[in-house]
Amino acid sequence: MKKDGLITVLILVGLVGGAVLGQILHGAVPDPVETGNSWMSVGKIVLVRPLMLLVLPLVFLSVVVGVTSIGDPSRLGIVGGTTLLYYFSTMVAAVVLGAVLVTTVAPGEGLSPEAITSLQSEGAAQYEENSGLRNAMGTANEKGLGGAWMNILEQVIPKNFFAELANGRTLGVIVFALLLGLALAAIGDAGRPAVDTLRSLFDGVMRLVLWILWLTPIGVFFLVTGTVAKIGLGALAGPLGAYMITVLVGLAIHAFVTLPIVLAVLGRVNPFAFMLRMRKALLTAFGTDSSSATLPVTIETAVDEGGCSKRSANFVLPLGATVNMDGTALYEAVAVVFMFQLWGIDLGMGELVIVVVTATLAAVGAAGIPSAGLVTMVIVVTAVNTSLAGRGIEPLPLEAIGVIIGVDRILDMCRTTVNVWGDAVGARLITRLAPDDEPAAEAA
Ligand code: ASP
């Protein structure tokens, strides 16, 4: 068996083994949350931290190398513009799908009054307990919609490159790398030594990725065991089941219908063959719950197996891992409307439009780390509350988010997978606009 095939099989074994062991632990241990957290901590040490170590150097190097290899600024403009258009339109498609599904299925309506009261009081307790999340949400809430825009703008116009690196603010790093790449391309031969050095550093980091990949099966095993031990698969049949299934069905439609149609029509690529080739990255996204941590694997798999050009992958994937989050956008729409349904607050067409716009913004603003979407959801809730206040309707209390915290990790794993799949489809599409000089590894 080839090395790549072996790793994939091992990751799958880790996933399934983790789910089975997690479910057993969930029913057997006295404190499933505590046990789950301990298993997840091991997974983070084994896999997430080593991957995260590579992310920022890789983002910087791959964007500089990608931009210098595209070279010509007008060509870069076309590639960049098309990439942003792709990100934006697929995110809006995902969010509209989420909004339509949640209003049609209405998972927050039709529950018995007792079930609603118990969900609401449990939610309030969860919200109280989760002080870290509460603080993060409180800050996002205070800053409001203007603050969310400012936050994105400040990252797009960074003032201290090292502060961006130290704070893990990928967008600022990308912007600097983009500008430096353009400048190095513009100075021609004088820039060559720097480009060659950066390119060889990039190759070195990619070799590290290949080594770290061998940790994926073990890391995924611990992470999935912990998650399932904490939540239990039975949650799908509980009072939040209809909500969870609505999110999962939405994600499935986006991943298996919308994006494949886009790829088949615009990219002239067999989308399911491509999905199969990207499996290592998709499984890693599912296991680590972080599109940032998965980025090294996504780049490696897209170029070595997915038939994406280096030019496209180096540029589209780092940016995509930061801003393009189809799964998160869809999830935010479903989750917010669900909470309003649960609190018996009717949303009008105007509020649904606000949900679509702000959920897209919230997804762009979410970092590629676990639970980021849960925090930025506050932006959507606040915007809808403001509109409701104009109509004299009571707002949704922020503690409503507590209702969905408990089951969030499982949904997060699935939406992260869709986020990474969206990035990969983008890289494959843009390969048509920015092919490598030498043919890509294997065309999918
Ligand atoms: N965990 C997601 C990601 O890394 C972000 C989120 O939706 O919370 O892509």
Side-chain angles (χ1 to χ4, degrees), residues 70-96:
I70 296 175
D72 170 13
S74 67
R75 186 146 164 237
L76 190 71
I78 296 174
V79 171
T82 316
T83 306
L84 292 182
L85 184 71
Y86 165 80
Y87 290 163
F88 181 72
S89 39
T90 48
M91 269 198 282
V92 171
V95 104
V96 169

Side-chain angles (χ1 to χ4, degrees), residues 288-293 321 324-325 327-329 331-332 366-376 408 412-413 415-417 419-420:
T288 58
D289 197 8
S290 161
S291 34
S292 275
N324 182 40
M325 301 210 176
T328 302
Y331 153 82
E332 302 231 3
I369 53 172
S371 297
L374 201 60
V375 176
T376 58
D408 192 60
D412 200 356
M413 289 158 71
R415 66 183 186 252
T416 305
T417 313
N419 289 344
V420 171

